[in-house]
Amino acid sequence: MAEQCAMIVGYLVPHRCPNNALATCVKCGRKFCDEHVSISQGGLLCLACQRGVEQPVAVSQVARDYTAQDIALFSTVGAFDSTDDTFSDLS
């Protein structure tokens, strides 16, 4: 099974990017999908390293406030039960 992209996406509900990782950033060593990595003179750089942000978060203004524990939590959020409809109707 392919490894998941390490980028945290979503402004209101941060979560791991659902795409498969295709490349490794030369600066931070994390794996990213083609949407969150680009070619630079030194090799492939992730979006976070391009913007000078330590954490792999797509929304750079918010990324400066996230801790390593926050990032770990976002990685587990995708493990919810999709059959649980507790919040399906909030009207």
Side-chain angles (χ1 to χ4, degrees):
M1 187 165 134
E3 196 169 333
Q4 188 177 1
C5 177
M7 188 63 69
I8 303 299
V9 296
Y11 186 75
L12 296 176
V13 182
H15 59 281
R16 289 274 302 271
C17 173
N19 299 335
N20 289 334
L22 301 175
T24 302
C25 176
V26 295
K27 188 170 181 183
C28 68
R30 295 183 184 106
K31 296 183 185 282
F32 296 95
C33 67
D34 61 343
E35 186 177 331
H36 296 117
V37 73
S38 65
I39 299 172
S40 72
Q41 272 188 316
L44 296 173
L45 273 181
C46 71
L47 181 63
C49 288
Q50 279 181 317
R51 294 179 178 172
V53 179
E54 270 187 50
Q55 299 295 344
V57 180
V59 183
S60 59
Q61 297 100 339
V62 183
R64 298 183 200 291
D65 297 332
Y66 288 147
T67 64
Q69 292 82 14
D70 293 330
I71 300 299
L73 176 64
F74 299 150
S75 298
T76 61
V77 170
F80 68 93
D81 181 4
S82 62
T83 61
D84 182 8
D85 62 353
T86 304
F87 297 105
S88 64
D89 185 9
L90 299 176
S91 59

